[in-house]
Amino acid sequence: MQEAGGQCLWEQGSFSTVCCMPGALPLCITSFKFHSRALYYKLAVEQLQSHPEAQEALGTPLNIHYLKLIDRENFVDIADAQLKIPVSGSKSEGLLYVHSSRSGPFQRWHLDKVFLELKDGQRIPVFKLSGENGDEGKKD
């Protein structure tokens, strides 16, 4: 599913070269903060927080955990972003899978698909793109 030219965070070297050195934890945290501030991340978390079925399955309070930057399924390139965000609540835990895209550099990110996979294997669709223009979406 990775586009030509896309790189996972591991291949970008931002993690493998720097964060494996002793004392590089602040740089790893900075890399996480970069993604947590990005629109593709924020939109997905907002969808999860406003999805009643996902909230019920996880329980409250909802906790969003650090991205595993060495996971090869987490990657961002100029037009596509794909993340697995660890989440948990009082009842269960799981991974929030995020697929986001944009038409080009400096364009706004929009969600294509977001789903929650709980540790028991249950999948809950949180968001799926609807409409041809990419602006409209719906909660599933």
Side-chain angles (χ1 to χ4, degrees):
M1 190 171 274
Q2 183 172 342
E3 298 288 325
Q7 294 181 319
C8 73
L9 299 175
W10 178 266
E11 291 167 344
Q12 288 177 353
S14 61
F15 180 80
S16 61
T17 319
V18 179
C19 292
C20 293
M21 296 184 306
L25 183 60
L27 210 47
C28 291
I29 292 170
T30 301
S31 181
F32 169 75
K33 285 183 181 179
F34 169 78
H35 290 286
S36 67
R37 291 182 184 146
L39 189 58
Y40 50 82
Y41 183 96
K42 286 181 178 181
L43 290 171
V45 170
E46 287 172 6
Q47 289 294 321
L48 177 66
Q49 292 172 334
S50 64
H51 194 278
E53 185 182 354
Q55 289 285 323
E56 176 63 29
L58 289 168
T60 56
L62 178 62
N63 300 303
I64 311 295
H65 302 281
Y66 290 117
L67 290 173
K68 294 181 179 172
L69 298 178
I70 59 172
D71 190 331
R72 293 181 185 262
E73 290 187 47
N74 289 325
F75 78 91
V76 178
D77 67 15
I78 203 161
D80 297 294
Q82 180 175 308
L83 300 174
K84 281 187 347 186
I85 304 171
V87 296
S88 67
S90 59
K91 295 180 181 178
S92 188
E93 60 186 46
L95 294 168
L96 185 66
Y97 287 84
V98 181
H99 299 269
S100 187
S101 61
R102 61 184 176 180
S103 57
F106 309 111
Q107 300 296 315
R108 183 175 169 84
W109 287 98
H110 65 268
L111 295 174
D112 297 322
K113 183 170 139 181
V114 179
F115 66 91
L116 173 65
E117 183 174 85
L118 298 172
K119 69 179 180 180
D120 66 4
Q122 178 187 1
R123 284 188 172 198
I124 300 172
V126 175
F127 177 90
K128 184 176 180 184
L129 184 66
S130 65
E132 304 256 335
N133 62 5
D135 294 331
E136 299 177 36
K138 66 173 185 155
K139 290 181 189 178
D140 287 333

